Amino acid sequence: VYTGMIDENQRDAFNAIELCKHLSSSYTLNIAGTGSRESIHRILETIKLHNDRYPCIVSYDGTFTGKEFDEYVSKFDVGLNIRATTEGYDLYSFPSKILMYLSHGLDVFTTPIRCVVNSKIAPFLNIASTYDNFVEMSKELSATELSNKTKTHDLIEALDGDFKNSLQLIIKN
């Protein structure tokens, strides 16, 4: 699953579709998110063209909020964070969708953004070796053994505890 902004400039959802060009029919990609009318129109066009040519089926499922979003995301195995960038704020801005995927019990497959690779949760993620070679990423995703379902909730609780302890230290000083 890919959730988040549908934006032609940001390209994350479009990159997820690009990755799917190299996956077999045993994979599907569900996309949920919001964007401008033009970006939604473009993603729907891209999906149609993709589904006419490639075996990995892609769908755009719309926008979800609250409990409906939780139920939607929880039914998937893998959350994708396919950000193809090497500069700007993306190098230092941690994608919150990774924590959201983990908190819903999903395995995460992500491109190697510096702040993700250097984070405490990196050992719990499936990190691609590249951010722009979709053939290589598809091989890595296909070879990934998915197993984080039981570990992710413990990880989120541990991170929450670490955050609270750090915050208390800041407040005391």
Side-chain angles (χ1 to χ4, degrees):
V1 68
Y2 168 86
T3 62
M5 283 298 298
I6 312 291
D7 185 331
E8 289 184 87
N9 295 321
Q10 186 185 18
R11 306 262 341 135
D12 294 5
F14 294 90
N15 292 337
I17 296 171
E18 186 68 28
L19 172 67
C20 289
K21 289 180 179 179
H22 311 285
L23 293 172
S24 73
S25 61
S26 63
Y27 291 87
T28 60
L29 172 63
N30 293 72
I31 298 173
T34 188
S36 69
R37 183 175 296 160
E38 295 81 19
S39 290
I40 297 299
H41 178 73
R42 181 74 174 115
I43 201 85
L44 291 171
E45 286 180 340
T46 302
I47 289 169
K48 179 170 179 1
L49 291 171
H50 171 89
N51 287 341
D52 288 344
R53 298 180 69 191
Y54 300 98
C56 173
I57 299 300
V58 177
S59 67
Y60 172 69
D61 299 331
T63 302
F64 301 93
T65 59
K67 186 175 181 177
E68 187 179 46
F69 178 81
D70 292 338
E71 291 171 0
Y72 174 79
V73 172
S74 295
K75 66 183 179 180
F76 298 104
D77 296 316
V78 180
L80 296 177
N81 181 58
I82 308 299
R83 189 166 290 177
T85 185
T86 59
E87 59 187 56
Y89 83 97
D90 286 335
L91 288 175
Y92 308 101
S93 173
F94 192 90
S96 61
K97 76 175 67 212
I98 290 176
L99 294 174
M100 181 275 301
Y101 290 147
L102 289 172
S103 69
H104 284 84
L106 277 63
D107 281 279
V108 177
F109 186 81
T110 181
T111 49
I113 303 166
R114 183 183 307 161
C115 62
V116 172
V117 171
N118 295 327
S119 72
K120 288 183 177 183
I121 64 169
F124 297 90
L125 307 175
N126 301 292
I127 301 174
S129 62
T130 179
Y131 64 89
D132 61 355
N133 183 332
F134 296 105
V135 173
E136 187 62 31
M137 278 192 279
S138 69
K139 290 177 186 175
E140 293 169 353
L141 177 58
S142 296
T144 298
E145 290 196 28
L146 305 176
S147 62
N148 279 344
K149 287 276 188 199
T150 58
K151 300 175 192 172
T152 56
H153 292 291
D154 292 340
L155 171 65
I156 296 299
E157 285 184 22
L159 289 172
D160 183 54
D162 288 349
F163 173 76
K164 289 175 182 173
N165 290 337
S166 296
L167 190 58
Q168 284 179 339
L169 288 173
I170 291 170
I171 292 171
K172 286 180 182 178
N173 295 325

